[in-house]
């Protein structure tokens, strides 16, 4: 059994995600104003989606940035994490174009064996547990009021 989730992004979200990722990775950013964003299928046989971002420079020259699918996918996953959108770690993430919008398709395969977490700390290496104790009683309890003297016999 598989589960499929689709997250559809606007062009503004794609540009913001790519620029934020490039800024964090300290990669060069184009100077100017972002114009249009277009998507085209990748190279024949290679699959994927190439993203072209048209940038009008400060001097008026037009340039385009061609982004590979892996860079855009990483930027979109990071964008989702920043917006606290839960994404499964053990899933396949692919980019597709649906109705002209960039879509991140997340496929989870439930037939995969579960990932086991190994306990790397041996029992002998673990420190012994100390009993919990307090130096003084909690402040909201006054033991003096409840104490009643009794005669010594």
């Amino acid at each position: 059994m598989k589960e499929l989730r689709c997250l559809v992004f606007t062009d503004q979200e794609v540009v913001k995600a790519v620029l934020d990722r490039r800024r964090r990775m300290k990669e060069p950013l184009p100077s100017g104003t972002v114009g249009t964003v277009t998507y085209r299928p990748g190279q024949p046989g290679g699959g994927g989606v190439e993203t072209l971002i048209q940038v009008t420079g400060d001097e008026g020259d037009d340039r385009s940035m061609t982004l590979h699918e892996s860079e855009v996918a990483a930027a979109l996953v990071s964008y989702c994490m920043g917006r606290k959108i839960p994404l499964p770690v053990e899933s396949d993430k692919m980019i597709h174009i649906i109705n002209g919008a960039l879509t991140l398709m997340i496929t989870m395969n439930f037939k995969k064996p579960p990932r086991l977490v190994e306990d790397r700390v041996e029992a002998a290496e673990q420190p012994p547990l100390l009993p919990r104790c307090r130096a003084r009683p909690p402040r909201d309890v006054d033991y003096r009021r409840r104490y009643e003297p009794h005669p010594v016999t």
Side-chain angles (χ1 to χ4, degrees):
M1 175 174 30
K2 290 186 178 188
E3 179 180 344
L4 176 68
R5 289 175 55 191
C6 295
L7 299 173
V8 182
F9 295 91
T10 63
D11 292 344
Q12 291 84 9
E13 290 172 326
V14 172
V15 169
K16 182 175 180 355
V18 168
L19 294 180
D20 286 347
R21 181 182 178 280
R22 283 193 165 214
R23 193 173 293 118
R24 267 195 327 277
M25 301 298 284
K26 296 182 179 164
E27 294 177 2
L29 291 170
S31 61
T33 306
V34 174
T36 60
V37 179
T38 55
Y39 311 106
R40 68 176 180 205
Q43 303 297 328
V49 175
E50 285 187 344
T51 303
L52 289 110
I53 299 177
Q54 190 70 28
V55 178
T56 303
D58 294 333
E59 295 82 30
D61 57 333
D62 285 339
R63 290 173 288 181
S64 66
M65 294 174 38
T66 304
L67 305 171
H68 192 265
E69 177 184 14
S70 60
E71 180 179 355
V72 177
L76 293 177
V77 168
S78 177
Y79 180 78
C80 289
M81 290 172 62
R83 296 184 54 96
K84 307 229 187 292
I85 298 171
L87 298 176
V89 175
E90 294 290 323
S91 64
D92 299 323
K93 298 166 186 78
M94 299 285 294
I95 293 180
H96 295 279
I97 303 169
I98 297 179
N99 291 335
L102 199 64
T103 304
L104 181 65
M105 296 183 81
I106 303 164
T107 308
M108 292 173 280
N109 186 359
F110 293 112
K111 293 207 178 202
K112 286 183 181 177
R115 191 175 71 173
L116 298 176
V117 178
E118 295 179 17
D119 190 15
R120 296 183 189 256
V121 179
E122 298 296 324
E125 295 176 17
Q126 292 180 350
L129 296 176
L130 299 175
R132 298 177 104 199
C133 62
R134 291 187 175 176
R136 64 174 87 156
R139 292 180 185 193
D140 59 338
V141 177
D142 189 4
Y143 289 103
R144 289 176 288 171
R145 280 199 219 160
R146 287 196 235 156
Y147 178 74
E148 296 177 0
H150 58 283
V152 179
T153 57

